[in-house]
């Protein structure tokens, strides 16, 4: 009896490659995948509590310190699909190690930066460095599914989503603790040990044998030899550098405009339009494009997933930014009290993700998530300056449900819909649409709170969010392809 139980335990939990069954996910990969993927959310969230001390120390106003947030967002939005494409071409190991090494370098530069410009440069480098791990993790997940023949990685995908959400929740607290212990420069310096941990885990556990994905090789059709571990190959000539540059120009112009839309900056959307037209023309003509618009244009379900990601996060970030600002200005709460009111938002999101993570049910999650978003936005319309704290916390808890459902559902949908040979770049684009949603939400908050975060502005913002939630529900309901997203049989 005991030997039988022991054998079952070893079969269930022993990683592949360590004497375990070859048809199970290699659990040694989970630690570097998760640790690398949380580098971006932890740096995105820790900076929130450091802006004021940084501004005081460097004599910079809030309008300038805001670039510490925007710089990382811009770099990540551009870097995720670009590095994701390189992951598809050369495998995850090399790009993972380079990216996490950049995180350590950026941490060192930030910890000794003499002025705000140098600090923003460190944050931009940090953004590019943190862009490698998530596409690499998605590529590894797909590779393991192909290797094992068990295309049911819901638990692994849930681990990636839940870990990112958890780190986003504790990030401000961690940042405050680090600042209290060693000043604001410690939130940069902490990236050094995190980078070293990723480098060690990546070097020891990530597979060295990575062939270039079929269809991602150069025009000569030359692939990288298996087992090379990342040596340069002839297929490197297939890297679409002009396409990447045009994509970056398109995205930067668009996001800079969304940060602070003004009539005098009319040239930015024009520049984005011109860069987009040139980008589309090039990608449709070159044999090995950075983003294959011919394939992407024919993949309606994947395009719908990108749209749902944008809509989901526009509403989510509009609530996070706008509701928080209203709590402090319109409701008159202290920052600490506002943080406590928002705690149910984070806890509910984590709980829902943990409970539902192992069930794919993409369509069902998106329908429930959008319906609850609609209910939450409607509830916001009832809030007044004298609303009870319990009601404010209840609204936050309600809005936490779609936070735990929508992002995970979109991630699972992308895993099923994307071309396996381009899973890294597709995963990067998914993150890009998330950041576009964050920028759109920031612009909406600025538009509706022009004269301060009063209750009237909150209600107008709620109507904007409600429209987005209704559109999200509509895009989900009419997409019949979501019902076909089921795992392949082993």
């Amino acid at each position: 009896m005991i030997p039988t139980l022991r054998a079952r335990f070893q079969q269930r939990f022993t990683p592949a490659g360590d004497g375990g069954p070859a048809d199970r996910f290699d659990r040694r990969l989970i630690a570097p995948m998760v640790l690398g993927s949380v580098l971006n959310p932890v740096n995105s969230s820790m900076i929130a509590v450091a802006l004021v001390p940084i501004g005081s120390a460097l004599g910079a106003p809030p309008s300038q310190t805001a670039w510490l947030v925007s710089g990382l967002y811009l770099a990540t939005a551009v870097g995720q699909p670009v590095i994701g494409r390189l992951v598809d071409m050369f495998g995850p190991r090399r790009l993972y190690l380079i990216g996490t090494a950049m995180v350590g370098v950026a941490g060192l530069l930030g910890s000794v930066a003499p002025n705000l410009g140098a600090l923003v440069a460190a944050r931009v480098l940090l953004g590019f460095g943190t862009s490698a791990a998530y596409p690499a993790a998605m590529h590894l997940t797909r590779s393991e599914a192909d290797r094992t023949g068990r295309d049911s990685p819901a638990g692994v995908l849930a681990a990636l989503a839940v870990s990112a959400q958890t780190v986003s929740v504790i990030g401000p607290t961690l940042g405050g603790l680090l600042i209290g212990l060693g000043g604001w420069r410690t939130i940069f310096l902490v990236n050094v040990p995190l980078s070293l941990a990723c480098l060690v885990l990546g070097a020891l556990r990530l597979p060295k044998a990575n062939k270039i994905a079929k269809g991602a090789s150069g025009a000569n059709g030359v692939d990288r030899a298996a087992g090379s571990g990342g040596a340069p190959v002839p297929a490197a000539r297939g890297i679409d550098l002009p396409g990447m540059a045009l994509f970056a120009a398109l995205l930067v112009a668009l996001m800079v405009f969304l940060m602070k839309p003004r009539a005098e900056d009319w040239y930015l959307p024009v520049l984005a339009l011109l860069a987009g037209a040139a980008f589309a023309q090039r990608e449709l003509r070159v044999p090995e494009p950075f983003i294959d618009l011919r394939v992407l244009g024919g993949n309606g379900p994947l395009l719908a997933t990108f749209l749902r990601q944008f809509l989901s996060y526009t509403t989510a970030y509009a609530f996070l930014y706008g509701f928080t600002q209203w709590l402090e200005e319109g409701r008159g709460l202290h920052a600490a009290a506002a943080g406590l009111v928002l705690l149910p938002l984070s806890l509910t999101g984590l709980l829902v993700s943990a409970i539902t993570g192992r069930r794919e049910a993409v369509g069902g999650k998106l329908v429930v998530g959008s319906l609850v978003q609609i209910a939450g936005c409607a509830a916001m319309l009832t809030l007044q300056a004298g609303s009870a704290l319990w009601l404010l916390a209840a609204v936050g808890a309600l809005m936490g449900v779609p936070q735990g459902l929508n992002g995970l559902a979109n991630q699972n949908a992308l895993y099923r819909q994307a071309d396996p040979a381009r899973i890294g770049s597709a995963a990067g684009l998914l993150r890009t649409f998330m950041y576009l949603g964050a920028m759109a939400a920031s612009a909406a908050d600025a538009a509706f709170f022009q004269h301060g975060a009063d209750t009237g502005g909150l209600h107008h913002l709620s109507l904007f969010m409600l429209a987005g939630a209704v559109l999200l529900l509509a895009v989900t309901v009419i997409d019949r392809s979501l019902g076909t997203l089921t795992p392949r049989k082993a």
Side-chain angles (χ1 to χ4, degrees):
M1 180 70 176
I2 293 178
T4 301
L5 291 175
R6 180 182 302 161
R8 288 180 179 177
F9 177 87
Q10 290 176 342
Q11 184 183 36
R12 182 177 179 86
F13 293 102
T14 303
D18 279 352
D23 64 344
R24 293 188 181 276
F25 192 95
D26 187 348
R27 298 178 188 274
R28 295 174 302 171
L29 302 176
I30 295 178
M33 286 167 57
V34 169
L35 183 59
S37 296
V38 302
L39 291 175
N40 188 271
V42 74
N43 280 285
S44 298
S45 55
M46 282 196 305
I47 195 67
V49 294
L51 294 177
V52 172
I54 289 174
S56 299
L58 301 180
S63 60
Q64 294 181 10
T65 57
W67 277 102
L68 294 170
V69 177
S70 302
L72 184 133
Y73 273 171
L74 280 169
T76 307
V78 174
Q80 291 264 2
V82 169
I83 297 178
R85 178 63 183 136
L86 298 178
V87 167
D88 291 333
M89 296 183 71
F90 302 110
R93 178 185 171 90
R94 171 183 287 272
L95 274 302
Y96 179 97
L97 294 177
I98 293 175
T100 52
M102 287 173 62
V103 170
V105 172
L108 283 175
L109 293 176
S111 68
V112 298
N115 51 53
L116 184 64
L119 207 57
V120 170
R123 288 281 293 180
V124 169
L125 182 62
L126 195 60
F128 282 116
T130 59
S131 294
Y134 180 69
M138 292 293 283
H139 186 103
L140 284 165
T141 303
R142 168 59 67 183
S143 298
E144 281 296 286
D146 292 340
R147 180 186 66 81
T148 62
R150 292 177 174 267
D151 193 18
S152 183
V156 177
L157 296 176
L160 292 175
V162 173
S163 60
Q165 286 188 25
T166 303
V167 167
S168 296
V169 171
I170 67 173
T173 303
L174 175 62
L177 177 63
L178 291 172
I179 292 172
L181 291 175
W184 61 264
R185 293 186 185 274
T186 55
I187 70 166
F188 288 88
L189 198 58
V190 72
N191 285 291
V192 176
L194 291 175
S195 170
L196 290 174
C198 287
L199 288 171
V200 171
L201 287 171
L204 292 177
R205 299 187 178 186
L206 295 188
K208 294 182 179 180
N210 286 305
K211 289 186 178 181
I212 298 176
K214 184 179 180 180
S217 59
N220 312 354
V222 182
D223 287 351
R224 175 154 56 95
S228 64
V233 292
R237 289 177 291 185
I239 297 177
D240 182 17
L241 292 179
M244 292 178 178
L246 288 169
F247 176 80
L250 159 66
L251 210 56
V252 170
L254 179 61
M255 295 186 73
V256 169
F257 180 75
L258 287 175
M259 287 178 201
K260 194 175 182 180
R262 299 180 302 177
E264 54 265 37
D265 293 334
W266 60 268
Y267 63 91
L268 288 173
V270 172
L271 178 60
L273 184 62
L274 293 175
F279 173 71
Q281 184 181 24
R282 174 173 176 81
E283 298 306 277
L284 291 173
R285 294 174 61 184
V286 297
E288 292 296 336
F290 160 47
I291 296 176
D292 195 336
L293 297 182
R294 289 159 295 197
V295 174
L296 188 61
N299 193 341
L302 182 58
L303 293 176
T305 293
F306 290 146
L307 176 58
R308 283 190 294 267
Q309 181 83 339
F310 172 77
L311 293 171
S312 299
Y313 280 96
T314 297
T315 300
Y317 277 110
F319 178 80
L320 181 62
Y321 298 153
F323 187 64
T324 303
Q325 192 174 348
W326 176 80
L327 286 176
E328 297 183 31
E329 296 184 23
R331 183 59 175 77
L333 297 181
H334 187 273
L340 290 175
V341 169
L342 286 172
L343 188 59
L345 169 75
S346 303
L347 294 179
T348 304
L350 291 173
L351 182 63
V352 169
S353 292
I355 292 175
T356 66
R358 298 190 68 86
R359 302 179 184 91
E360 296 207 22
V362 171
K365 288 179 180 178
L366 288 168
V367 169
V368 173
S370 54
L371 286 172
V372 177
Q373 266 193 351
I374 291 172
C377 295
M380 289 174 63
L381 292 170
T382 69
L383 298 180
Q384 301 295 332
S387 294
L389 292 178
W390 69 265
L391 179 59
L392 304 180
V395 171
L398 191 64
M399 293 299 286
V401 174
Q403 178 176 302
L405 290 174
N406 293 342
L408 181 57
N410 287 326
Q411 177 182 259
N412 289 345
L414 175 130
Y415 178 82
R416 300 293 175 195
Q417 296 164 339
D419 178 3
R422 290 176 174 263
I423 187 68
S425 54
L429 278 173
L430 190 71
R431 285 284 181 95
T432 295
F433 277 91
M434 180 183 77
Y435 291 122
L436 285 173
M439 292 299 179
S442 179
D445 290 339
F448 293 116
F449 290 156
Q450 289 185 19
H451 306 293
D454 55 17
T455 302
L458 178 70
H459 290 166
H460 286 103
L461 178 65
S462 302
L463 291 173
F464 168 81
M465 295 166 55
L466 182 61
V470 170
L471 184 56
L472 172 63
L473 177 62
V475 174
T476 300
V477 171
I478 65 176
D479 188 356
R480 296 184 179 182
S481 69
L482 293 177
T484 66
L485 297 180
T486 55
R488 295 196 303 264
K489 298 292 184 181

